[in-house]
């Protein structure tokens, strides 16, 4: 005759605790943080002595969803530029007794295929890094309407989708104000308003606001669109600006790698930074700190974004009818060697 498998009640009786305490400890849920180390040790010891096996699948079936948060990142470039955010999300999910699964896809069609998987709604929630016009026509809104907590980690979410993101409009404003205070009035802007419209236009809106406040006219010719996202895009963008023979003394780029590419192009033309021209980026990448001259930038606030995003996933999962919010987290201006007085 086969031996009866021990139950959670048997573990609770052996450890001298409640059924809920055993469940919290063995599941590693957020509630376990309030349980003493001694009690946790008793629960683990009792489970081992009795040969009890915790079944997370069974728990998920009972609750109706798993403890896993999905992170969808569309394009490898996006994954590279937001690696700090992904790592911060992984740390925060673990601290909350959750798991993070990262899914990187190459393009819009692969993203849509991922969203159409039959089991996607059975997860704790969905985080998205997807900067493309295709987002508006995707299945994201439908998933959110069906009850899955969906958090857009970029600006511009609509309907039942929340935005929890760095305040890029504030970053564009802060960087432009910094350059204006150094005497710059002709400030070029290198970005992508076509395929990365959500993030680029937020930064450009802040840039325009700072110019207007300072009484400086906005010259559309100083906006340079590029196709490349990183170093190559900055190099190409600066070449285009020079080819058009525009008079400018500073350049804002939508990310640090692009700013370093633009700076390298200027240096290859014999210009000295910041004596002849100043450069600023965005994201506080490690490369910018060790480049010479080191790059003035604004940090992404990855840890604060991750904390708020995970908190919102948990809040919405526990209360599906809760009010949606858009949370914008300002970053810190980091002044380094690449900016100086206007020549």
């Amino acid at each position: 005759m086969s031996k009866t498998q021990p139950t959670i009640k048997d573990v609770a009786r052996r450890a001298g605790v409640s059924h809920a305490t055993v469940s919290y400890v063995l599941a590693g849920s957020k509630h376990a943080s309030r349980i003493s180390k001694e009690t946790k040790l008793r629960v683990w010891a009792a489970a081992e002595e009795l040969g009890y096996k915790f079944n997370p699948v069974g728990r998920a079936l009972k609750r109706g969803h798993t403890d896993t948060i999905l992170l969808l990142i569309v394009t490898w470039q996006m994954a590279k530029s937001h690696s700090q955010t992904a790592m911060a999300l992984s740390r925060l999910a673990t601290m909350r007794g959750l798991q993070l699964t990262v899914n990187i896809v190459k393009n819009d069609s692969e993203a849509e295929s991922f969203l159409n998987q039959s089991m996607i709604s059975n997860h704790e929630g969905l985080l998205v890094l997807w900067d493309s016009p295709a987002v508006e026509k995707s299945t994201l809104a439908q998933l959110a309407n069906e009850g899955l907590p969906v958090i857009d980690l970029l600006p511009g979410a609509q309907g039942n989708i929340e935005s929890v993101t760095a305040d890029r409009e504030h970053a564009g404003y802060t960087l432009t104000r910094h350059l204006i205070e150094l005497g710059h009035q002709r400030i070029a802007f290198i970005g992508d308003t076509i395929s990365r419209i959500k993030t680029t236009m937020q930064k450009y809106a802040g840039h325009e606001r700072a110019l207007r406040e300072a009484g400086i006219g906005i010259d559309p010719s100083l906006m340079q669109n590029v196709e490349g996202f990183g170093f190559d895009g900055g190099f190409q963008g600066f070449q285009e600006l020079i080819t058009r023979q525009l008079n400018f003394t500073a350049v804002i780029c939508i990310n640090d790698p692009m700013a370093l590419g633009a700076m390298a192009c200027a240096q290859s033309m014999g210009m000295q930074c910041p004596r002849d021209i100043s450069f600023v980026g965005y994201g506080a990448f490690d490369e910018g700190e060790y480049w010479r001259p080191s790059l003035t930038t604004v940090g992404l606030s990855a840890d604060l974004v991750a904390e708020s995003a995970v908190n919102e996933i948990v809040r919405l999962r526990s209360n599906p009818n809760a009010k949606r919010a858009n949370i914008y987290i300002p970053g810190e201006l980091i002044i380094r060697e690449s900016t100086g007085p206007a020549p």
Side-chain angles (χ1 to χ4, degrees):
M1 191 169 85
S2 63
K3 185 179 178 181
T4 303
Q5 291 293 323
T7 67
I8 197 169
K9 293 181 180 180
D10 298 325
V11 177
R13 191 178 303 112
R14 175 68 64 91
V17 297
S18 68
H19 304 162
T21 297
V22 174
S23 179
Y24 294 154
V25 172
L26 297 183
S29 78
K30 60 182 182 295
H31 303 291
S33 62
R34 300 195 295 265
I35 299 172
S36 69
K37 183 178 179 180
E38 292 74 16
T39 300
K40 290 177 182 176
L41 289 173
R42 289 210 314 274
V43 170
W44 289 327
E48 185 175 358
E49 290 170 8
L50 295 172
Y52 175 78
K53 301 294 184 184
F54 178 72
N55 183 4
V57 175
R59 180 172 180 265
L61 290 172
K62 184 177 180 181
R63 293 192 315 158
H65 60 88
T66 71
D67 283 329
T68 301
I69 296 174
L70 301 175
L71 171 59
L72 172 63
I73 306 177
V74 185
T75 77
W76 284 100
Q77 287 284 2
M78 183 69 72
K80 287 173 62 179
S81 60
H82 290 271
S83 60
Q84 294 178 15
T85 301
M87 289 186 289
L89 285 166
S90 181
R91 290 194 299 269
L92 264 295
T94 300
M95 289 172 60
R96 298 297 298 270
L98 302 166
Q99 299 180 54
L100 181 76
T101 299
V102 181
N103 307 270
I104 304 172
V105 298
K106 292 187 298 184
N107 51 41
D108 294 341
S109 61
E110 286 193 7
E112 188 63 24
S113 296
F114 173 82
L115 294 175
N116 284 313
Q117 295 180 48
S118 60
M119 299 296 289
I120 199 166
S121 295
N122 297 334
H123 293 81
E124 180 81 10
L126 173 64
L127 302 168
V128 183
L129 280 165
W130 188 0
D131 191 0
S132 165
V135 172
E136 296 180 6
K137 298 179 181 180
S138 72
T139 311
L140 283 176
Q142 179 183 334
L143 290 169
N145 290 335
E146 291 173 355
L148 177 69
V150 179
I151 305 292
D152 192 342
L153 298 175
L154 299 177
Q158 300 176 353
N160 280 336
I161 301 173
E162 283 197 16
S163 278
V164 177
T165 186
D167 193 337
R168 291 166 176 82
E169 194 273 345
H170 179 266
Y173 176 84
T174 301
L175 289 166
T176 304
R177 284 294 311 170
H178 170 62
L179 292 170
I180 291 171
E181 288 167 1
L182 290 170
H184 298 275
Q185 295 200 9
R186 296 282 295 172
I187 304 170
F189 190 103
I190 301 177
D192 180 357
T193 63
I194 300 172
S195 62
R196 284 177 283 271
I197 189 170
K198 292 173 67 175
T199 52
T200 296
M201 291 311 297
Q202 285 280 319
K203 295 165 191 170
Y204 192 70
H207 169 63
E208 286 191 323
R209 179 162 67 92
L211 292 175
R212 285 194 298 268
E213 286 185 5
I216 300 173
I218 297 170
D219 184 351
S221 70
L222 290 173
M223 157 59 89
Q224 179 63 52
N225 266 309
V226 295
E227 296 180 358
F229 186 74
F231 191 93
D232 291 343
F235 201 99
Q236 170 202 341
F238 191 82
Q239 282 182 323
E240 292 290 335
L241 287 168
I242 293 297
T243 299
R244 291 196 281 124
Q245 297 182 335
L246 300 169
N247 177 30
F248 57 93
T249 61
V251 180
I252 295 176
C253 294
I254 61 169
N255 60 49
D256 283 2
M258 195 175 286
L260 298 180
M263 193 190 307
C265 184
Q267 291 170 336
S268 72
M269 296 177 179
M271 301 180 192
Q272 292 189 28
C273 172
R275 189 194 70 181
D276 301 322
I277 188 166
S278 291
F279 291 90
V280 298
Y282 176 76
F285 286 54
D286 291 340
E287 294 87 345
E289 182 178 359
Y290 297 103
W291 196 273
R292 288 297 174 264
S294 56
L295 182 64
T296 295
T297 186
V298 166
L300 261 173
S301 306
D303 289 337
L304 294 176
V305 169
E307 182 178 6
S308 297
V310 172
N311 287 343
E312 285 301 293
I313 287 286
V314 173
R315 181 180 74 89
L316 294 175
R317 179 51 84 178
S318 62
N319 183 8
N321 297 319
K323 185 178 180 180
R324 267 58 176 172
N326 289 319
I327 301 172
Y328 292 88
I329 300 172
E332 177 189 2
L333 174 64
I334 303 169
I335 300 175
R336 297 191 182 125
E337 300 166 345
S338 67
T339 50

